[in-house]
Amino acid sequence: MRNRIVRGVAGSFILISLILAIYVSQNWLWFTAFVGANLLQSSLTKWCLLEDILKKFGVSDGEKDCC
């Protein structure tokens, strides 16, 4: 579950920032680059701040919740 939330938030941030770049200002593309860099760093270091925050709120990994 946590993994799905992290991916959903990252995807939403990217799409929202692209829409804002089209309709508001191209400077929103910096936010898109930041999200992409964050995804790359988390794939290399296996650490994600949002995942740690979700753990503290009690969101499970989801593997144990099935059936």
Side-chain angles (χ1 to χ4, degrees):
M1 180 57 91
R2 241 183 307 187
N3 205 9
R4 291 180 68 185
I5 293 172
V6 169
R7 290 178 185 195
V9 169
S12 298
F13 279 175
I14 288 171
L15 292 175
I16 290 168
S17 66
L18 288 175
I19 291 169
L20 288 169
I22 291 169
Y23 293 108
V24 178
S25 168
Q26 287 189 351
N27 285 327
W28 282 101
L29 293 175
W30 288 106
F31 186 70
T32 307
F34 172 75
V35 173
N38 228 348
L39 288 169
L40 180 62
Q41 122 3 79
S42 76
S43 74
L44 296 173
T45 63
K46 298 180 183 167
W47 177 78
C48 176
L49 178 61
L50 180 56
E51 201 169 295
D52 287 349
I53 292 169
L54 291 172
K55 276 183 205 174
K56 289 188 182 202
F57 279 107
V59 178
S60 68
D61 279 339
E63 294 178 17
K64 301 172 197 162
D65 294 337
C66 183
C67 308

